[in-house]
């Protein structure tokens, strides 16, 4: 399955919950790219400046990374893609790779959140570098003992967030009809408590 939605829609938050339900790996291209930046690899050096500015990393870089990841043994009984595909070209490349591997997509979950809520969600996000848990300073505050070690993403500024949102609407939202035409698109309201949203997704998938 694929999780799609604007920045801050709650894809990572929901993936953590769905992981418990479906027991399939959560494959986030954002997390993979941030890992490469932190490790200082060639891929990370290429990706860093695009990400800081809220631009998309070139398709050629990302497609190869995902195709390789979904061919790993832990993905043979299913996987949950988060943040990929993000362009029509990525969607078509994924389609080809899945066809060659004789894998069928079960669902594409679109988490819908209005633009007006996005900047607050993004600028208040903090994560725990030890566990990867995502928090929000106001909506889901980290416990006092974790607060001193939480970090903010470099692209979680208001300026980068606005750029990311524009890219979402110009590049990513147009892939939604591609999956709608295949009859596997599931639209879920992403406004409400995270557990409520998770329940809506499970209900829609079941
Ligand atoms: P990526 O990491 O994928 O970022 P994104 O799509 O912008 O999504 P986010 O991670 O910001 O948000 P999310 O939907 O996961 O929300 P979260 O659950 O954290 O990509 C980053 C960058 O990498 C891109 O800009 C690009 O440069 C590059 N990249 C990645 N993939 C690429 C690709 N395929 N091609 C090219 N480039 C690529 O929640 C956000 C906040 O809201 C949290 O604080 C959370 O606690 C809070 N929250 C969540 N749910 C709720 C709720 N229901 N109510 C209130 N608050 C909530």
């Amino acid at each position: 399955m694929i999780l799609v939605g604007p920045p801050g829609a709650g894809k990572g938050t929901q993936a953590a919950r769905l992981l418990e339900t479906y027991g399939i790996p959560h494959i986030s291209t954002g997390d993979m790219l941030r890992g490469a930046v932190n490790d200082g690899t060639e891929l990370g050096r290429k990706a860093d400046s695009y990400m800081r500015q809220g631009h998309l990393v070139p398709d050629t870089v990302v497609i190869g990374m995902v195709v390789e990841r979904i061919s790993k043994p832990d993905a043979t009984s299913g996987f949950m893609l988060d943040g990929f595909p993000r362009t029509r070209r990525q969607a078509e490349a994924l389609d080809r790779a899945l066809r060659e591997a004789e894998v069928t997509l079960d669902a594409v979950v679109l988490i819908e959140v209005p633009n007006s809520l996005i900047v607050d969600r993004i600028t208040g996000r903090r994560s725990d570098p030890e566990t990867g848990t995502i928090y929000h300073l106001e909506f889901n505050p980290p416990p006092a003992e974790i607060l001193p070690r939480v970090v903010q993403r470099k692209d979680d500024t208001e300026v980068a967030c606005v750029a990311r949102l524009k890219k979402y609407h110009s590049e990513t939202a147009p892939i939604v009809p591609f999956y709608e035409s295949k009859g596997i698109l599931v639209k879920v309201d992403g406004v409400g408590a995270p557990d409520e949203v998770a329940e809506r997704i499970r209900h829609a998938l079941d």
Side-chain angles (χ1 to χ4, degrees), residues 35-181:
V37 171
N38 288 340
D39 294 346
T41 63
E42 198 192 331
L43 171 73
R45 280 194 294 277
K46 273 189 202 156
D48 194 27
S49 67
Y50 293 101
M51 295 174 76
R52 277 177 195 263
Q53 296 174 68
H55 296 164
L56 292 182
V57 175
D59 286 340
T60 44
V61 174
V62 183
I63 290 169
M65 183 180 87
V66 172
V67 170
E68 187 193 337
R69 177 63 186 89
I70 60 179
S71 65
K72 295 223 161 122
D74 67 333
T76 50
S77 53
F79 50 81
M80 193 183 341
L81 285 174
D82 160 5
F84 184 96
R86 246 180 163 93
T87 63
R88 179 83 192 195
R89 193 168 160 209
Q90 292 181 14
E92 287 167 356
L94 177 67
D95 219 36
R96 274 195 303 278
L98 295 180
R99 222 177 306 123
E100 276 166 27
E102 297 182 3
V103 171
T104 313
L105 270 181
D106 290 325
V108 176
V109 178
L110 172 64
I111 305 177
E112 298 183 299
V113 173
N115 287 352
S116 56
L117 298 182
I118 297 295
V119 174
D120 280 353
R121 282 199 186 186
I122 289 286
T123 52
R125 171 171 44 198
R126 298 294 185 275
S127 58
D128 178 354
E130 285 184 20
T131 62
T133 307
I134 302 168
Y135 295 100
H136 189 284
L137 292 178
E138 189 185 339
F139 308 137
N140 178 22
E145 66 277 18
I146 290 175
L147 190 59
R149 68 171 191 243
V150 295
V151 292
Q152 184 173 25
R153 271 169 46 177
K154 291 175 199 157
D155 60 346
D156 274 354
T157 61
E158 192 167 338
V159 172
C161 172
V162 169
R164 286 158 59 196
L165 202 48
K166 275 194 186 145
K167 277 281 168 215
Y168 173 77
H169 289 292
S170 65
E171 303 286 330
T172 310
I175 68 172
V176 168
F178 176 73
Y179 291 113
E180 204 159 25
S181 69

